[in-house]
Amino acid sequence: LSISPSGTQPCIRPATLNVSNITATTADVSFTPFGTETQWLGTIEPAIMGMNSITLNDTTLSLMMLSPNTQYTISVRAICGEGDTSTARTTSFRTSCVPLTMSDLPFAENFNSYSTGSSASISPCWTKGTNSATQYPYPASTSMGETSNALYFYSSLPSSTTTTPTY
């Protein structure tokens, strides 16, 4: 319940906030105003090129220079007057991975920043098979004979699907 002084309307956040056309370095943002406001305050975390907020005069925005495989959170507030802003409408999205090209080969990725064990998560650029008979691959610790974490593959089935990066 919002109580406003007689004759004034509460400042209400945008009705919707959507992100589409997501690539490794770009994304399109759109939102639907709830009222008649004509300016909004947009914020993004993590910041892009050191900037994390902008005053918007339109309900669409193309984001560029994003980092690949990064989780972003976007918020939009209605600006209803001097010092009068709404609560934020917020959404999150992850940019896609950068595709590998021939010039990227040979390719190496260590898994030192991931926890280890069969329930550990791995980079979103890799996918685990959907075979319920195994939880592989998973990041394995140096106890596996490696000098750093490695991605451990194993299958208990005679034939198993190969897991490949989704780059």
Side-chain angles (χ1 to χ4, degrees):
L1 176 66
S2 179
I3 301 174
S4 300
S6 179
T8 63
Q9 295 295 317
C11 191
I12 301 176
R13 69 185 183 169
T16 64
L17 175 59
N18 300 299
V19 181
S20 61
N21 302 321
I22 301 167
T23 71
T25 58
T26 64
D28 293 334
V29 177
S30 63
F31 57 94
T32 305
F34 187 85
T36 59
E37 65 276 2
T38 58
Q39 282 193 322
W40 302 268
L41 177 64
T43 59
I44 187 165
E45 292 293 335
I48 303 170
M49 301 291 294
M51 189 169 87
N52 73 335
S53 67
I54 185 172
T55 299
L56 304 167
N57 296 311
D58 195 358
T59 60
T60 60
L61 175 67
S62 291
L63 300 173
M64 296 176 274
M65 302 173 78
L66 302 174
S67 297
N69 187 28
T70 301
Q71 183 76 25
Y72 286 95
T73 300
I74 295 182
S75 297
V76 177
R77 298 174 182 266
I79 300 174
C80 299
E82 185 69 35
D84 185 15
T85 60
S86 69
T87 59
R89 173 72 64 189
T90 302
T91 192
S92 296
F93 70 97
R94 177 175 292 281
T95 51
S96 57
C97 302
V98 175
L100 289 177
T101 64
M102 291 302 289
S103 63
D104 295 320
L105 299 176
F107 172 76
E109 178 176 354
N110 73 45
F111 293 87
N112 293 340
S113 63
Y114 302 102
S115 59
T116 59
S118 61
S119 62
S121 62
I122 56 178
S123 166
C125 296
W126 288 79
T127 56
K128 289 186 178 189
T130 57
N131 184 334
S132 62
T134 182
Q135 295 177 340
Y136 300 96
Y138 64 79
S141 67
T142 57
S143 64
M144 303 290 299
E146 300 292 326
T147 58
S148 62
N149 286 358
L151 196 60
Y152 179 63
F153 290 83
Y154 172 82
S155 175
S156 58
L157 300 176
S159 64
S160 180
T161 58
T162 303
T163 302
T164 57
T166 57
Y167 290 96

